[in-house]
Amino acid sequence: MSGTDSGAWESFGERLAEMARDLLAQESVQETLDRIGVHAVNLVDGCEDAGILTIDRGEVATLSATSDLVRDSDRLQGEVGQGPCYDATRHHGRVYRIRDTEHESRWPLYVPEARKLGIGSMIGFLLYTADDNLGALNLYSPHPGAFTDRSEQIGWLLASHAAVAFSSARTHAQLNTALETRHEIGEAIGILMGRYKLTEDQAFAVMRTASQEHNIKLRDIARTVTETGDTPRPDPQLDEHPPTR
């Protein structure tokens, strides 16, 4: 490796570290995803647009996009059921690259339409950790041949860091949601106990019954109780047969 190459990679390493710190500092999953796209445009040679695509039950969803072109490309891949980003997610391939949409024979349903969107070249990276397949990070350029082998190396390193940050943000959000739900249910139980002179188990049973009878999630029943004071009435037989959880 020449001194110039060594210096370039050292500079990239510093910028990648800054990116990692920035992603971990975001306060929500969506903010984390949006910042991944911004960093991709800034760090990967040739990249002018970026986005994150996922597939859930066969349906393509755009989790984040730096432009409408990205959303249009995701929609197109979902409609035709093929494309580099689509395959990265479906088949767990590490990297799929279109060097030039004028001369790409793979994905025959997608590529001609992608060219009409103004896409000259693109590259898709699988976002994954040991426990999760999180989707695909997709990079776009209007110019053919915009992505080099170095672009691919940098993109893969960026995608690896991005996957860890995405997974961490999602886990943190899920934990916060679980804690909030537990708090709301506990508060709702307290309201029912005070209003109807119930035990904790009886109050929980009232909420569980209301949830089952109306096909409403328990946390939504609890939120209604705490926010509106609208409480489900207990079964008169509760006093005779106290339920257990």
Side-chain angles (χ1 to χ4, degrees), residues 4 25 34 37 46 48 59 62 86 93 95 126 139 145 148 151 179 184-185 190 193 227 233 240 244:
T4 302
D34 291 343
E48 297 192 22
E59 296 293 324
T62 302
Y86 188 89
V95 183
L126 181 67
L139 314 183
T148 64
S151 300
L179 291 173
E184 285 182 335
I185 291 174
M193 289 172 65
E227 291 182 354
R233 290 188 173 277
E240 298 179 15
T244 58

Side-chain angles (χ1 to χ4, degrees), residues 42-245:
N42 291 335
L43 290 175
V44 180
D45 296 339
C47 179
E48 297 192 22
D49 292 291
I52 296 174
L53 169 154
T54 190
I55 300 177
D56 183 20
R57 299 180 180 89
E59 296 293 324
V60 169
T62 302
L63 300 184
S64 179
T66 61
S67 71
D68 288 337
L69 180 144
V70 176
R71 297 182 185 90
D72 290 340
S73 174
D74 289 351
R75 174 188 51 76
L76 176 59
Q77 291 184 78
E79 289 176 354
V80 301
Q82 62 176 230
C85 314
Y86 188 89
D87 282 0
T89 302
R90 285 288 299 274
H91 304 306
H92 298 183
R94 171 174 159 166
V95 183
Y96 287 91
R97 192 197 320 183
I98 292 180
R99 298 178 185 275
D100 183 348
T101 54
E102 286 285 351
H103 305 289
E104 178 59 66
S105 59
R106 296 171 295 174
W107 311 295
L109 297 178
Y110 168 75
V111 171
E113 298 302 318
R115 190 162 56 245
K116 293 177 184 178
L117 292 176
I119 298 170
S121 53
M122 60 186 295
I123 189 167
F125 301 93
L126 181 67
L127 289 174
Y128 74 95
T129 65
D131 300 319
D132 288 315
N133 173 12
L134 304 166
L137 171 65
N138 312 309
L139 314 183
Y140 296 86
S141 172
H143 309 293
F147 297 111
T148 64
D149 290 343
R150 186 175 187 276
S151 300
E152 186 172 315
Q153 289 177 311
I154 290 175
W156 176 245
L157 291 171
L158 185 150
S160 299
H161 281 269
V164 172
F166 179 11
S167 180
S168 176
R170 191 173 67 173
T171 299
H172 182 68
Q174 290 170 341
L175 178 60
N176 282 343
T177 298
L179 291 173
E180 290 172 2
T181 298
R182 181 177 178 181
H183 175 76
E184 285 182 335
I185 291 174
E187 187 175 351
I189 285 174
I191 292 172
L192 290 174
M193 289 172 65
R195 178 165 298 182
Y196 296 114
K197 308 303 180 185
L198 303 176
T199 66
E200 181 179 350
D201 284 345
Q202 288 173 331
F204 180 81
V206 169
M207 291 174 54
R208 182 178 60 193
T209 299
S211 172
Q212 293 169 346
E213 289 181 349
H214 299 286
N215 195 26
I216 299 174
K217 292 181 178 179
L218 186 63
R219 66 170 178 266
D220 293 331
I221 293 287
R223 186 172 295 117
T224 297
V225 172
T226 58
E227 291 182 354
T228 70
D230 185 11
T231 58
R233 290 188 173 277
D235 186 326
Q237 296 183 357
L238 278 175
D239 290 336
E240 298 179 15
H241 304 285
T244 58
R245 263 192 247 184

